[in-house]
């Protein structure tokens, strides 16, 4: 039998407190505790056999429940650490709720508060969104333009005679793609990015406040239809067309990007339409951090469930019909504990990013924006790998929504897909890094050493990042002055793979640095020992992934490369006794997650849950059989379970 935690209760509690402090960056009590408590509300209990419409309505109910616990909305938007935590905790039990909350508070209400600062004429919109009498969203992407925001075609033509804008979708490619307009009878308000036009003059893309719907359905001129089925998500994504929707002058959110007089005269001290567009979209940055934080939280829940189940699930072992937990198999140890190492590394990386963003007070700074772009992409990719790996390792139990991980698969894909393909964006971020970091010589490989040493691993990561950056810089030299017919094909496209590799290597290096720092900050000796092993496992996995590159560049010898798989096996085996303690640092419980397979007695928990879905007659029959066999009896379902909607109707007037 594998020891899950050999410490006495008092010592175990001290270790847990130390890990919680590190995982939640010392902010659990102030930022996270009450949000965790909200998840105990029955509104978050699992719901079975709902169609997409019903599941979407349940997610809106859960969103309203979170709203009631969050306090003043203006204070929430002003506290980015709190806003990030909202998306982290909501993601654990309903991945759709996370998207709705992020869109509402950050992208919609946050945009109005920021770009409408000091404007008393917007007080009614602020109040409507603060109370969530209407749900807010951001509409940027168009069917034909993807993340090519500078070429959006939705237009808002100003009519000076009425002091109104006429919002119009000029052709099918300009339809707003995938906003939350599939459920039409919930009151909603959108921030719509549209091209400001006065007469024949195009002033570029600006945000506009656009009421979309009320309890009776879509408002005049707004047309929407649900997007095709997207498995794993109950978001009511839709495609939306505006047909000459009239908006008052006040609905232009030009903020610091410019001013439009009532007579149609436009003023702006910001030179260039692209720079004004960047300013108009700067609420997207905290949105990216929220996405990274939410998928990291889903990764933590995935690791928590997977480790506990793996320590309890008995399987056949070679020899005389023996049994052993699946965690006893080396292949399982490497997969699940390797995933745990990535989860810890991503958590520390995201924590670092959240702090940097909060310290910048949301200001548009190049280094923070670069960090955010890299972390959003890397967190999505890494946690997608973690979630899919753990889902496979849990076998049949991993495919059921009640055990959470299957739903996180869809969420991970949503994070990766948000704003379009992450690869072009992260490649552009790499190009920006060349302007932020001074030119330097190609580095020398670090001296040989113990491959399990986290200091050497970090040196190797720094070497790779610097080498790729300077190689990329050299290859891109002369792009600005290029006079050929196609600089895209001749320079940029030929080097985009190096750009992506460099940006990813930077994210991995920062994650390793933050992991190393957290390890050094451990107060309990056993926590420090466990984190050092886990950090080393993360470093070994990342270096093994790029071992061919290190070998080609002479940074590793063939003998070192051959040694890495064995070191990964040895480190994973050494981590098994620490594994329950390490996931305990996430401050989760099987009861909070409602994941039956995470329970110590998972067989009983799974059995109870499965039969709770049976009809009352079937349950009565089974209770008779169980009584004859001295097995626990089943608790009948609550009456509310017969209804596809939740019993909590306090906000039902909104749906």
């Amino acid at each position: 039998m594998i020891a899950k935690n050999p410490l006495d209760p008092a010592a175990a509690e001290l270790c847990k407190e130390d890990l919680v402090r590190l995982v939640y960056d010392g902010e659990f009590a102030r930022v996270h505790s009450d949000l965790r408590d909200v998840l105990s509300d029955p509104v978050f209990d699992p719901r079975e056999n709902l169609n997409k419409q019903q599941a979407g309505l349940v997610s809106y109910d859960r969103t309203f429940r979170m709203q009631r616990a969050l306090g003043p909305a203006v204070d929430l938007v002003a506290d980015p650490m709190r806003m990030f935590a909202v998306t982290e905790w909501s993601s654990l039990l309903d991945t759709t709720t996370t998207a709705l909350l992020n869109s509402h508070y950050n992208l919609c209400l946050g945009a109005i508060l920021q770009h409408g600062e000091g404007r008393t004429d917007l007080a009614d919109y602020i109040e409507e969104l603060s109370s969530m009498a209407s749900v807010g969203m951001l509409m940027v992407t168009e069917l034909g333009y993807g993340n090519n925001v500078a070429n959006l075609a939705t237009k808002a033509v100003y009519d000076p005679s009425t002091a109104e804008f006429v919002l119009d979708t000029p052709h099918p490619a300009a339809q707003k793609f995938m906003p939350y307009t599939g459920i039409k009878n919930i009151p909603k308000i959108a921030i719509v990015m549209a091209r400001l036009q006065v007469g024949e003059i195009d002033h570029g893309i600006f945000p506009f406040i656009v009421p979309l719907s009320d309890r009776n359905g879509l408002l005049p001129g707004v047309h929407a239809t649900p997007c095709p089925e997207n498995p794993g998500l109950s978001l009511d994504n839709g495609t939306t067309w505006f047909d000459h929707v009239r908006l008052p002058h006040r609905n232009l959110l030009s903020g610091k990007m410019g001013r439009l007089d009532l007579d149609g005269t436009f003023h702006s001290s910001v030179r260039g339409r692209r720079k004004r567009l960047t300013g108009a979209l700067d609420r997207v940055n905290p949105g990216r951090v929220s996405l990274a934080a939410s998928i990291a939280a889903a990764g933590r829940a995935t690791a928590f469930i997977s480790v506990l189940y793996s320590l309890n699930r008995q399987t056949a072992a070679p020899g005389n019909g023996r049994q052993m937990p699946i965690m006893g198999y080396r292949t399982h140890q490497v997969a699940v504990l390797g995933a745990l190492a990535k989860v810890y590394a991503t958590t520390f990386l995201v924590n670092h990013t959240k702090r940097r963003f909060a310290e910048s007070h949301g200001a548009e700074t190049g280094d923070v924006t670069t960090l955010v772009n890299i972390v959003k992409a890397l967190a999505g990719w890494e946690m997608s790998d973690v979630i899919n790996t753990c889902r496979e390792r849990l076998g049949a139990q991993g495919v059921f929504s009640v055990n959470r991980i299957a739903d996180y698969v869809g969420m991970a894909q949503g994070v990766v897909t948000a704003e379009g393909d992450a690869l072009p964006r992260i490649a552009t971020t790499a190009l920006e890094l060349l302007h932020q970091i001074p030119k330097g010589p190609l580095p020398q490989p670090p001296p040989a050493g113990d491959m399990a040493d986290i200091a050497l691993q970090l040196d190797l990561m720094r070497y790779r990042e610097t080498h790729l950056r300077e190689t990329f810089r050299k290859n891109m030299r002369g792009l600005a002055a290029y006079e050929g017919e196609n600089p895209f094909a001749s320079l940029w496209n030929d080097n985009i793979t190096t750009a992506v590799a460099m940006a990813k290597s930077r994210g991995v290096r920062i994650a390793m640095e933050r992991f190393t720092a957290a390890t050094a900050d451990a107060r309990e000796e056993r926590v420090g020992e466990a984190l050092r092993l886990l950090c080393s496992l993360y470093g070994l996995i990342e270096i093994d992934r790029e071992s061919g590159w290190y070998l080609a560049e002479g940074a590793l010898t063939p003998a070192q490369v051959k040694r890495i798989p064995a070191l990964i096996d040895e480190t994973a085996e050494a981590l098994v006794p620490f594994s329950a303690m390490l996931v305990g640092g996430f401050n989760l419980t099987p009861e909070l997650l409602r994941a039956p397979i995470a329970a110590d007695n998972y067989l009983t928990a799974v059995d109870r849950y499965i039969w709770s879905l049976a009809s009352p007659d079937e349950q009565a029959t089974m209770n008779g059989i169980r009584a004859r066999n001295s097995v626990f009896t089943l608790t009948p379902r609550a009456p509310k379970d017969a209804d596809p909607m939740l019993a909590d109707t306090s906000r039902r007037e909104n749906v």
Side-chain angles (χ1 to χ4, degrees):
M1 183 67 180
I2 297 172
K4 289 184 286 185
N5 198 334
L7 297 179
D8 65 77
E13 186 60 29
L14 288 174
C15 288
K16 178 180 178 180
E17 290 175 2
D18 198 18
L19 283 166
V20 169
R21 175 183 63 85
L22 295 169
V23 167
Y24 295 99
D25 211 17
E27 293 270 33
F28 185 81
R30 183 187 78 83
V31 173
H32 297 273
S33 180
D34 64 323
L35 298 175
R36 180 185 184 277
D37 293 343
V38 174
L39 299 187
S40 298
D41 192 294
V43 75
F44 290 101
D45 288 349
R47 309 294 299 176
E48 296 279 351
N49 302 317
L50 303 183
N51 62 33
K52 185 176 176 64
Q53 174 90 353
Q54 292 169 334
L57 289 171
V58 168
S59 292
Y60 276 99
D61 270 352
R62 291 167 174 168
T63 300
F64 297 142
R65 176 63 187 91
M66 288 292 292
Q67 179 268 334
R68 294 199 298 273
L70 296 179
V74 173
D75 293 345
L76 175 65
V77 174
D79 184 352
M81 300 300 279
R82 178 77 166 167
M83 185 64 246
F84 301 147
V86 168
T87 56
E88 289 178 65
W89 288 100
S90 61
S91 70
L92 301 185
L93 299 185
D94 189 334
T95 59
T96 299
T97 297
T98 302
L100 294 173
L101 288 166
N102 184 39
S103 181
H104 177 85
Y105 284 107
N106 180 47
L107 300 177
C108 184
L109 179 58
I112 295 176
L113 292 171
Q114 180 174 333
H115 299 312
E117 184 178 6
R119 288 182 52 183
T120 58
D121 61 321
L122 299 178
D124 55 338
Y125 285 129
I126 293 172
E127 173 54 32
E128 189 171 351
L129 290 164
S130 295
S131 64
M132 210 175 270
S134 287
V135 177
M137 70 186 77
L138 173 68
M139 289 189 177
V140 181
T141 302
E142 294 177 1
L143 183 60
Y145 298 95
N147 59 8
N148 185 10
V149 181
N151 287 321
L152 296 180
T154 300
K155 60 182 180 179
V157 180
Y158 185 61
D159 181 358
S161 66
T162 60
E164 292 178 323
F165 299 96
V166 180
L167 184 69
D168 195 43
T169 300
H171 49 72
Q175 295 174 89
K176 292 298 183 182
F177 187 57
M178 293 189 70
Y180 311 138
T181 53
I183 297 176
K184 302 174 183 179
N185 62 342
I186 295 177
K188 295 176 182 177
I189 293 173
I191 302 299
V192 176
M193 300 301 296
R195 194 168 295 280
L196 170 60
Q197 187 173 325
V198 182
E200 298 300 318
I201 303 176
D202 176 359
H203 294 290
I205 310 295
F206 284 89
F208 293 82
I209 303 173
V210 183
L212 299 174
S213 58
D214 58 21
R215 295 185 186 92
N216 297 314
L218 298 174
L219 297 177
V222 180
H223 305 275
T225 187
C227 285
E229 194 78 16
N230 48 344
L233 290 173
S234 55
L235 279 170
D236 60 323
N237 298 115
T239 300
T240 307
W241 187 298
F242 299 108
D243 182 20
H244 294 82
V245 176
R246 286 196 165 262
L247 304 170
H249 179 274
R250 70 175 181 133
N251 284 33
L252 170 63
L253 277 179
S254 54
K256 298 177 181 179
M257 291 83 70
R259 186 182 82 251
L260 183 71
D261 293 340
L262 289 173
D263 65 2
T265 303
F266 181 76
H267 310 268
S268 179
S269 59
V270 180
R271 299 185 59 138
R273 290 188 297 181
R274 183 171 290 275
K275 192 169 184 180
R276 290 198 291 267
L277 174 60
T278 301
L281 284 173
D282 63 0
R283 289 302 306 178
V284 172
N285 249 7
R288 290 172 184 147
V289 182
S290 288
L291 287 172
S294 64
I295 198 60
R300 290 194 292 273
T302 296
F304 176 85
I305 294 166
S306 300
V307 166
L308 295 188
Y309 180 66
S310 299
L311 291 169
N312 285 312
R313 175 74 163 93
Q314 297 294 311
T315 63
N320 300 322
R322 293 173 55 245
Q323 285 192 321
M324 66 182 294
I326 52 174
M327 187 64 94
Y329 288 91
R330 191 61 45 78
T331 50
H332 199 87
Q333 294 167 2
V334 170
V336 172
L337 298 180
L340 179 61
K342 290 183 181 180
V343 166
Y344 260 90
T346 302
T347 294
F348 294 139
L349 175 63
V350 170
N351 286 348
H352 171 68
T353 307
K354 291 191 292 186
R355 285 197 308 274
R356 288 293 311 280
F357 181 87
E359 290 164 1
S360 73
H361 303 289
E364 186 73 18
T365 61
D367 60 334
V368 172
T369 298
T370 296
L371 177 64
V372 168
N373 287 337
I374 291 173
V375 170
K376 187 264 182 183
L378 189 63
W381 290 328
E382 291 285 68
M383 293 303 95
S384 182
D385 179 64
V386 162
I387 292 164
N388 278 286
T389 294
C390 288
R391 198 225 61 75
E392 292 176 9
R393 296 282 68 75
L394 299 190
Q397 292 291 356
V399 305
F400 299 115
S401 287
V402 70
N403 290 323
R404 301 299 170 192
I405 297 173
D407 284 354
Y408 297 154
V409 171
M411 177 190 175
Q413 291 305 303
V415 171
V416 170
T417 305
E419 299 182 88
D421 189 353
L423 286 172
R425 179 176 297 280
I426 201 172
T428 303
T429 298
L431 190 60
E432 293 166 355
L433 277 169
L434 298 188
H435 301 292
Q436 296 173 16
I437 301 174
K439 178 183 176 182
L442 282 178
Q444 295 299 310
D450 180 3
M451 287 301 301
D453 181 5
I454 58 178
L456 175 60
Q457 294 167 359
L458 186 51
D459 284 343
L460 285 166
M461 292 175 181
R462 288 169 176 157
Y463 168 73
R464 173 172 162 80
E465 178 194 351
T466 305
H467 193 288
L468 288 170
R469 185 182 68 238
E470 295 311 314
T471 300
F472 180 47
R473 191 195 306 274
K474 178 182 177 182
N475 292 347
M476 291 298 293
R477 189 176 299 149
L479 176 64
Y482 190 83
E483 297 179 357
E485 292 183 3
N486 193 351
F488 172 80
S490 300
L491 281 176
W492 178 236
N493 209 32
D494 288 347
N495 291 288
I496 195 169
T497 303
T498 303
V500 170
M502 186 268 279
K504 288 177 67 176
S505 70
R506 185 175 182 84
V508 169
R509 185 265 300 168
I510 297 172
M512 188 68 176
E513 285 180 344
R514 304 324 305 167
F515 205 153
T516 303
T519 299
D521 190 33
R523 295 170 182 171
E524 297 297 320
E525 182 179 354
R526 187 168 177 80
V527 169
E529 182 183 358
L531 288 179
R532 277 189 293 275
L533 283 169
L534 198 65
C535 184
S536 178
L537 181 59
Y538 174 72
L540 287 167
I541 289 170
E542 290 298 328
I543 291 168
D544 187 49
R545 193 202 312 247
E546 307 297 344
S547 58
W549 183 92
Y550 285 110
L551 186 62
E553 295 298 334
L556 291 178
T557 66
Q560 286 176 303
V561 171
K562 288 180 181 178
R563 175 73 176 131
I564 292 175
L567 282 173
I568 289 174
D569 282 1
E570 292 168 13
T571 308
E573 182 185 25
L575 274 164
V576 172
F578 297 99
S579 57
M581 179 189 77
L582 285 165
V583 297
F586 301 153
N587 222 4
L588 302 171
T589 65
E591 294 76 21
L592 183 76
L593 293 175
R594 283 84 150 177
I597 61 169
D600 279 344
N601 191 344
Y602 78 91
L603 285 173
T604 298
V606 170
D607 182 40
R608 283 187 185 277
Y609 183 77
I610 290 173
W611 282 99
S612 75
L613 305 176
S615 69
D617 288 345
E618 289 170 326
Q619 289 192 28
T621 299
M622 282 304 301
N623 278 336
I625 296 172
R626 289 165 184 268
R628 291 198 303 271
N629 290 278
S630 300
V631 180
F632 67 84
T633 56
L634 301 164
T635 303
R637 287 187 298 175
K640 72 181 179 69
D641 284 338
D643 191 312
M645 297 302 296
L646 297 174
D648 180 5
T649 58
S650 58
R651 295 300 299 268
R652 187 46 44 85
E653 70 274 8
N654 283 337
V655 297

